[in-house]
Amino acid sequence: MNWIKYDLTKRQNYLAKLTRHVRLTYVRTEFLRDHILTEIMLTSDPQCNQFLNKAFRYQLTPRAQRPSSAQRNRNGKFLVVFAGGADITTEIVYRNCKVYDSTDNNMSPIPDMLDCRYAHSVISLNGKVYSVGGFCDDTGKTAECYDPVGKKWTHIAPMSTEYYDFGICACDNLIYAIGGESSVENYNAATNTWYTCPDIPVEASFCRAAVIKHSIYSLINPDDGIASCFRLDTREGLWHNLNEMPWGLRNDSFEFLSYDNLLFSIAENCSRLDIRTNKWEAMPSMLFERLRFSAAIIAEDIYVFGGTGRDRKYVNSVERYNIHTNEWTVVDSLEVEVYEGGAAVISGDFSLN
């Protein structure tokens, strides 16, 4: 608004065009009501007024009834690729991979990775699966890619830093590795190159990452036990602090996921952050206590796989959290033991034959 008012005669014609690009549904209800809706230039412009009314109606609609920009087809085909991990008793590190089909609860093998890995991260992008970093035989800087067409894994360019227990996400067609202590790198598959990005503000011994639109969110539990959340706007290249989580996290036992305008911390004490209000709120705990588990968003639900209890016995059940009803249910039992491995969701066609 200050830019418009600086030269009102020449710039007022741009008001509606600029307002169209403002994500008003992300604005806090109080700020929208007390500041934006009181701006005469906006309310007197017919097109801007439509944008404001639409945003305000959205804010007043109960969350469960809001149309979701992230809404996905529950009846679509979704697969979860599990790669690597370790045996909790023998500490043998695996390179085997399996695929879980959520539509029929079936598990199928795919070719093994080239390297054994645990405490690594797995991500899917453009129909391929990437397994990055982790422990075992100097794999911390390495990464590999699985092509379902050729049905084989191949090494890709190495990173400049070793990454363990780190966050991974895909944003704007790039893969981001976040938390090699404080390091961040992104990978461009078109050039097979990793590029250095701005460091996260604190060192992270355990980190997870999620994406909403053009922003990357990183949840970190540093050694001081205070769970911190940061946002990286990939267009401006700067990290911003979000509200600290009011309760702590166990350092090695949480996952971090995004859906619509919400970020979910799945842990012993589950919670979610609404990025429009920057406020954390508690949510129901998982039905089973789990350490070193995997989690993924499938359609409009959060699925949790594997891990162990404090008795160091594998948890084979699959739990599902319905984001709209705020409830956990047990939906399946895995035939594979998932512990300290990586998991990634693939939607659509993915050849298993």
Side-chain angles (χ1 to χ4, degrees):
M1 291 305 301
N2 289 337
W3 183 83
I4 295 287
K5 292 176 180 178
Y6 183 82
D7 192 344
L8 193 60
T9 303
K10 293 182 179 180
R11 297 179 178 178
Q12 189 167 7
N13 290 335
Y14 295 102
L15 181 61
K17 292 182 180 179
L18 290 173
T19 306
R20 181 188 299 275
H21 295 286
V22 178
R23 294 180 288 179
L24 292 169
T25 55
Y26 282 65
V27 177
R28 293 193 303 272
T29 304
E30 296 81 4
F31 189 88
L32 183 68
R33 180 193 63 212
D34 297 339
H35 299 281
I36 298 179
L37 290 176
T38 59
E39 178 57 62
I40 301 299
M41 285 182 61
L42 292 173
T43 55
S44 61
D45 183 285
Q47 193 169 4
C48 292
N49 197 41
Q50 287 183 8
F51 298 147
L52 297 178
N53 288 335
K54 182 179 179 180
F56 203 57
R57 287 196 303 270
Y58 181 90
Q59 296 277 9
L60 294 176
T61 303
R63 179 180 293 158
Q65 300 175 21
R66 291 175 182 173
S68 170
S69 61
Q71 193 166 9
R72 288 164 254 188
N73 181 9
R74 286 178 180 269
N75 298 320
K77 187 176 182 64
F78 295 92
L79 303 173
V80 182
V81 177
F82 297 104
D87 187 288
I88 193 171
T89 303
T90 64
E91 298 184 354
I92 294 174
V93 182
Y94 302 127
R95 61 188 185 94
N96 62 305
C97 304
K98 291 193 175 184
V99 176
Y100 172 77
D101 189 335
S102 64
T103 58
D104 59 11
N105 299 331
N106 185 48
M107 190 78 78
S108 304
I110 61 172
D112 293 350
M113 293 185 294
L114 301 174
D115 298 315
C116 299
R117 301 176 188 271
Y118 79 100
H120 60 303
S121 290
V122 177
I123 190 77
S124 67
L125 179 65
N126 297 330
K128 296 182 179 181
V129 178
Y130 295 82
S131 182
V132 180
F135 285 110
C136 190
D137 299 331
D138 299 322
T139 57
K141 292 183 180 181
T142 68
E144 51 190 292
C145 172
Y146 179 72
D147 185 347
V149 177
K151 302 188 189 316
K152 66 177 183 178
W153 291 88
T154 55
H155 283 118
I156 62 174
M159 298 171 287
S160 61
T161 302
E162 294 184 339
Y163 287 82
Y164 319 105
D165 291 327
F166 63 100
I168 197 167
C169 60
C171 182
D172 296 332
N173 220 33
L174 299 172
I175 294 173
Y176 284 78
I178 301 168
E181 294 191 348
S182 61
S183 300
V184 180
E185 298 179 46
N186 69 33
Y187 174 74
N188 187 329
T191 61
N192 188 30
T193 306
W194 289 92
Y195 299 91
T196 301
C197 302
D199 287 356
I200 47 179
V202 298
E203 290 190 1
S205 57
F206 193 92
C207 171
R208 290 292 184 255
V211 172
I212 297 178
K213 297 190 183 295
H214 298 284
S215 292
I216 294 172
Y217 296 83
S218 181
L219 183 62
I220 299 167
N221 196 26
D223 294 335
D224 60 12
I226 299 174
S228 302
C229 191
F230 302 94
R231 179 180 68 87
L232 172 67
D233 189 316
T234 57
R235 295 164 297 186
E236 65 178 5
L238 296 174
W239 286 96
H240 302 275
N241 290 1
L242 278 73
N243 277 347
E244 294 176 348
M245 188 184 294
W247 36 87
L249 287 169
R250 184 184 169 103
N251 228 9
D252 59 353
S253 295
F254 67 88
E255 293 294 333
F256 193 48
L257 306 160
S258 62
Y259 179 84
D260 203 7
N261 299 315
L262 300 172
L263 296 166
F264 296 88
S265 168
I266 307 302
E268 183 177 8
N269 297 310
C270 297
S271 56
R272 62 188 169 206
L273 175 71
D274 190 323
I275 62 171
R276 294 163 301 178
T277 61
N278 194 20
K279 290 182 180 180
W280 289 95
E281 64 177 357
M283 52 184 275
S285 297
M286 291 181 286
L287 303 178
F288 292 86
E289 182 183 58
R290 300 172 188 263
L291 307 175
R292 291 286 187 170
F293 56 91
S294 296
I297 292 275
I298 299 179
E300 298 175 323
D301 301 311
I302 296 173
Y303 280 67
V304 175
F305 306 92
T308 68
R310 294 189 188 277
D311 58 3
R312 295 183 65 80
K313 292 183 179 179
Y314 289 107
V315 181
N316 296 111
S317 63
V318 179
E319 292 184 54
R320 180 177 65 200
Y321 173 75
N322 187 309
I323 293 171
H324 300 296
T325 64
N326 198 32
E327 293 178 339
W328 288 96
T329 55
V330 175
V331 295
D332 195 15
S333 179
L334 283 181
E335 63 183 52
V336 63
E337 294 165 341
V338 177
Y339 178 74
E340 290 201 292
V345 174
I346 294 180
S347 58
D349 294 331
F350 186 84
S351 176
L352 297 174
N353 301 317

